[in-house]
Amino acid sequence: MNLSRTRVALALGAAGAVLLALVIVSPVLLTGIPSFVGNGGEPPDCSGGEQPEDASDTAASDIPADYLELYRKHGEKVGVQWNILAAVGKRETDHGRSDLPGVKRGTNYAGAAGPMQFLISTWGGKARIQMSARFNGYASDGDGDGIGDIYNPADAILGAARMLKRNGAPENVRRALFVYNRAWWYVDQVEQIAKRYAKSGEVKVPPEGDDACDEPLVEAAPSDVVARILAYALAQRGKPYLWGGTGPDAFDCSGIIYAAYRAAGLSIPRTTFVQWPFGVKISQGSEQPGDLVFFNAGPGTSPNNPGHVGMVVSKGKMIEARCRLCGPIKVTGYESRGNIVGFTRPLQHPDVQTQLKKLQNAAL
């Protein structure tokens, strides 16, 4: 099968128009912007292999060694590009070397503090927070001392990585940066610094976050129906999680699957708890795009009553709406998850088979 983007668009148009990426809301700001493309027009690597970005000579000479280690460590730990994290540190305080108010003590005129310039309110309400306490914010313990200190580089860099991740990185870097500081000139400046810090001169987007990699996933679908299901689901990336959400602006884990099947003209159960017994069980290793993968996750769930579900888009990859604090809808890996309950194939359910026959007859 060889579905072009035109055919995919037409198929979606027949089932319901492709939806625009929703504004992402953060505790501080909100905006909605296109995914960042940093490959200068070169074809993306859609293989899915991990390729850690090497530091350029500029990065090695400009970033203090301890800061560079923290950017790389916490960037990898959280799952954001280390050079974007480092570029934020450069733009905000020159990697903590600035003597301006609020960098090493107190706050600046806007109420920001520390090497990554968090608002005290965004950090958690005060500059130093016991991590065992209850608080709302990005206060983090990057050095393992049990305290989230806004002036401690290890803590602040980890907190910044978490905030960028929460608001779209690594897939939607520009959106995440805009939330960090609501100014387009700021986004552009950080982007340029990040490119200089990378040996490749790029800000690489993971294959699962690059929409240029959607077409190979759709083309590899085992049928036209699955291709329509995948095309709809992939078009929802970047939108937020919402418990009970079935679109068009937000979804929960089962809601995006329900909506994707509906976009292909098929009706399946709405919730995870009912989707699990509905589909025909298949063994791990035999799953294919369009199948569902279930997890023992969430309140009131168990190995026999999974509470989370994703949709397989390729071997080892799924699209999921994971949770409110887990960032936007995205393609992730499932093979390393330790709480997989099992896989199902809704398309083999007798009711769905009947629906498929009606769709085929209507197309004749």
Side-chain angles (χ1 to χ4, degrees), residues 3 11 22 34 42 91 106 118-120 126 130 136 146 183 185 190 193 247 267 283 302 322 326 353 358:
L3 280 177
L22 179 73
E42 292 295 322
R91 179 60 187 78
F118 272 94
L119 296 176
I120 296 294
K126 55 185 179 181
Q130 290 284 345
N136 292 318
W185 56 262
V190 171
I193 295 168
S267 177
S283 60
S302 69
R322 189 169 184 181
C326 300
Q353 289 285 306
K358 289 181 179 180

Side-chain angles (χ1 to χ4, degrees), residues 137-226:
Y138 290 97
S140 302
D141 180 13
D143 60 1
D145 65 357
I147 298 174
D149 185 345
I150 203 170
Y151 302 105
N152 181 317
D155 297 351
I157 290 170
L158 177 56
R162 292 176 58 225
M163 184 173 182
L164 291 169
K165 178 76 170 184
R166 170 69 179 85
N167 291 295
E171 297 90 351
N172 297 312
V173 175
R174 289 184 64 89
R175 176 190 293 127
L177 290 172
F178 191 91
V179 173
Y180 204 95
N181 187 334
R182 194 175 181 177
W184 288 115
W185 56 262
Y186 176 88
V187 174
D188 293 338
Q189 286 183 6
V190 171
E191 178 183 289
Q192 291 304 314
I193 295 168
K195 289 179 179 180
R196 292 198 296 270
Y197 280 166
K199 190 173 184 178
S200 67
E202 303 173 2
V203 176
K204 292 184 177 179
V205 177
E208 57 264 31
D210 193 333
D211 62 7
C213 292
D214 288 0
E215 188 170 354
L217 291 175
V218 174
E219 287 181 342
S223 69
D224 285 357
V225 170
V226 174

Side-chain angles (χ1 to χ4, degrees), residues 355-364:
Q355 295 174 48
L356 287 169
K357 288 180 182 178
K358 289 181 179 180
L359 289 174
Q360 291 168 359
N361 292 335
L364 296 178

Side-chain angles (χ1 to χ4, degrees), residues 38-364:
N39 58 18
E42 292 295 322
D45 176 10
C46 298
S47 65
E50 296 296 329
Q51 297 180 346
E53 183 64 84
D54 292 330
S56 66
D57 292 341
T58 298
S61 62
D62 186 49
I63 305 173
D66 56 341
Y67 271 71
L68 180 56
E69 181 181 356
L70 290 170
Y71 293 136
R72 297 189 73 106
K73 173 184 176 181
H74 292 315
E76 180 179 358
K77 177 180 180 179
V78 175
V80 303
Q81 297 93 332
W82 74 263
N83 52 323
I84 283 289
L85 198 56
V88 171
K90 173 66 174 180
R91 179 60 187 78
E92 294 292 349
T93 67
D94 192 21
H95 310 300
R97 292 178 292 212
S98 173
D99 291 324
L100 291 173
V103 177
K104 299 178 177 66
R105 64 188 65 83
T107 62
N108 67 8
Y109 69 95
M116 302 303 281
Q117 291 291 278
F118 272 94
L119 296 176
I120 296 294
S121 59
T122 305
W123 186 250
K126 55 185 179 181
R128 299 181 83 252
I129 297 176
Q130 290 284 345
M131 300 308 296
S132 58
R134 294 179 62 87
F135 63 92
N136 292 318
Y138 290 97
S140 302
D141 180 13
D143 60 1
D145 65 357
I147 298 174
D149 185 345
I150 203 170
Y151 302 105
N152 181 317
D155 297 351
I157 290 170
L158 177 56
R162 292 176 58 225
M163 184 173 182
L164 291 169
K165 178 76 170 184
R166 170 69 179 85
N167 291 295
E171 297 90 351
N172 297 312
V173 175
R174 289 184 64 89
R175 176 190 293 127
L177 290 172
F178 191 91
V179 173
Y180 204 95
N181 187 334
R182 194 175 181 177
W184 288 115
W185 56 262
Y186 176 88
V187 174
D188 293 338
Q189 286 183 6
V190 171
E191 178 183 289
Q192 291 304 314
I193 295 168
K195 289 179 179 180
R196 292 198 296 270
Y197 280 166
K199 190 173 184 178
S200 67
E202 303 173 2
V203 176
K204 292 184 177 179
V205 177
E208 57 264 31
D210 193 333
D211 62 7
C213 292
D214 288 0
E215 188 170 354
L217 291 175
V218 174
E219 287 181 342
S223 69
D224 285 357
V225 170
V226 174
R228 291 196 293 272
I229 293 169
L230 294 187
Y232 179 92
L234 290 167
Q236 312 316 309
R237 285 181 314 178
K239 295 184 179 182
Y241 175 94
L242 176 66
W243 188 83
T246 56
D249 296 334
F251 301 82
D252 66 11
C253 65
S254 57
I256 186 173
I257 294 168
Y258 171 78
Y261 272 75
R262 186 176 57 188
L266 301 172
S267 177
I268 65 171
R270 160 67 187 90
T271 68
T272 305
F273 298 114
V274 187
Q275 287 176 358
W276 167 241
F278 179 82
V280 174
K281 302 295 189 298
I282 57 174
S283 60
Q284 185 166 0
S286 64
E287 70 273 14
Q288 62 186 29
D291 292 342
L292 308 186
V293 51
F294 292 84
F295 301 86
N296 179 15
T301 67
S302 69
N304 296 319
N305 193 36
H308 181 59
V309 62
M311 182 194 297
V312 176
V313 297
S314 67
K315 180 62 177 176
K317 300 288 185 180
M318 65 179 174
I319 187 163
E320 65 171 339
R322 189 169 184 181
C323 72
R324 185 177 62 83
L325 298 177
C326 300
I329 294 168
K330 63 184 68 178
V331 174
T332 61
Y334 59 78
E335 291 182 326
S336 62
R337 299 268 186 97
N339 56 349
I340 294 178
V341 172
F343 297 78
T344 71
R345 185 165 295 159
L347 290 176
Q348 288 188 349
H349 189 280
D351 288 352
V352 178
Q353 289 285 306
T354 299
Q355 295 174 48
L356 287 169
K357 288 180 182 178
K358 289 181 179 180
L359 289 174
Q360 291 168 359
N361 292 335
L364 296 178

